[in-house]
Amino acid sequence: MSTKILLVEDEKKIADIVKAYLEKEGYSVSHVDNGSDALEALKRGFDLIILDLMLPDISGEEICELVRKDSDIPIIMLTAKSEEEHRVRGLKIGADDYVVKPFSPRELVARVQALLRRTKPVKKRLSFNRGMLVIDTESFEVFSKGALVTLTPTEFKLLQTLAERPGQVFSRAQLVNIILGYNFEGYDRTIDAHVKNIRQKIGEDNRNPSFIKTIYGVGYKFIGTPDEN
Ligand code: CA
């Protein structure tokens, strides 16, 4: 399923260019040129809105306020008003980002990508190998073969970090940085100790792990297979 973007822009030339650039990146783009059509279209469900501030009927600001009453869909405002007060107001009424006209379509595409990355809903329940390992990132609980496993906060964060990116190799230094929030070489080995504890608690076979694999000379990667849900 491609990401659905609603483009609300009354200047056809701009709309056509923006639409073409976004479609080239694989997004599915619906274009409307006024506010009431935008509000109607939004009932169909979109992943992101690109909203021009100056529209013929309802202003972009009003649309933004209306949308924010019951949705946290990412919104990028297009504005010709470059004055600081308008930018601030745009963000205050709930836009996530704004682009000042004239803008380069490439820049807008980059902003769209960045915003989607930032607002991507985080899965609260990570389940692997047909439920053999379940990590609930909301309740901070881990279940191994259905049984609750007690991890320390550091162990939990380490396991979560690895499990959120299966297949990605993390160096010990990277993990220290992510888990402890700073880089300090002396702590590299503490990662090994934490991994050892996690493996023991979730019942890993050290010689033939199902979840955390040691990458010799580098660090670790998560090799569990995410379950469909
Ligand atoms: Ca306009």
Side-chain angles (χ1 to χ4, degrees):
M1 273 281 285
S2 62
T3 303
K4 287 161 67 190
I5 297 176
L6 180 64
L7 171 62
V8 190
E9 168 62 81
D10 59 323
E11 281 168 77
K12 193 172 182 305
K13 240 165 76 184
I14 294 179
D16 287 348
I17 294 169
V18 168
K19 191 168 191 284
Y21 266 82
L22 289 167
E23 283 175 347
K24 215 172 76 189
E25 294 300 317
Y27 297 113
S28 148
V29 183
S30 303
H31 169 231
V32 293
D33 61 7
N34 64 74
S36 48
D37 284 356
L39 292 173
E40 193 54 41
L42 278 169
K43 293 176 190 159
R44 303 202 307 267
F46 285 90
D47 300 301
L48 182 141
I49 310 172
I50 298 173
L51 182 59
D52 183 30
L53 193 60
M54 304 286 262
L55 293 165
D57 52 352
I58 315 167
S59 79
E61 284 162 326
E62 278 176 83
I63 295 174
C64 193
E65 276 175 315
L66 285 170
V67 169
R68 274 292 170 266
K69 276 185 186 157
D70 54 16
S71 164
D72 52 9
I73 181 172
I75 300 175
I76 296 180
M77 281 235 177
L78 300 181
T79 168
K81 299 171 176 175
S82 58
E83 297 86 0
E84 198 59 37
E85 58 181 297
H86 290 291
R87 301 184 186 198
V88 170
R89 178 157 161 73
L91 296 176
K92 234 187 220 164
I93 59 177
D96 298 279
D97 201 357
Y98 59 87
V99 176
V100 179
K101 290 178 182 177
F103 57 86
S104 92
R106 261 175 236 276
E107 191 203 339
L108 179 61
V109 169
R111 297 282 191 99
V112 166
Q113 288 167 335
L115 183 55
L116 285 170
R117 265 200 306 275
R118 221 160 70 210
T119 54
K120 204 169 118 194
V122 180
K123 263 199 204 164
K124 286 171 182 147
R125 213 177 136 85
L126 306 168
S127 176
F128 301 93
N129 298 15
R130 297 176 184 194
M132 293 296 271
L133 181 69
V134 174
I135 303 165
D136 189 322
T137 61
E138 202 169 46
S139 65
F140 296 101
E141 286 173 328
V142 173
F143 298 88
S144 170
K145 301 178 190 81
L148 182 63
V149 172
T150 309
L151 298 185
T152 66
T154 304
E155 289 164 2
F156 185 89
K157 199 166 176 192
L158 180 54
L159 180 61
Q160 181 188 355
T161 300
L162 292 167
E164 278 177 343
R165 291 164 194 80
Q168 183 178 326
V169 178
F170 287 89
S171 70
R172 291 181 177 81
Q174 265 178 317
L175 291 169
V176 169
N177 200 8
I178 293 167
I179 281 123
L180 301 174
Y182 51 85
N183 230 324
F184 188 70
E185 275 177 29
Y187 280 114
D188 279 20
R189 293 295 144 190
T190 69
I191 294 294
D192 294 346
H194 290 310
V195 168
K196 196 178 156 203
N197 289 339
I198 296 168
R199 279 175 169 162
Q200 200 169 25
K201 288 178 180 179
I202 66 174
E204 281 264 66
D205 175 354
N206 275 338
R207 286 169 186 272
N208 187 21
S210 310
F211 300 107
I212 304 174
K213 189 175 164 63
T214 306
I215 305 300
Y216 184 74
V218 185
Y220 296 98
K221 79 169 172 181
F222 192 83
I223 55 167
T225 308
D227 296 328
E228 308 250 338
N229 52 333

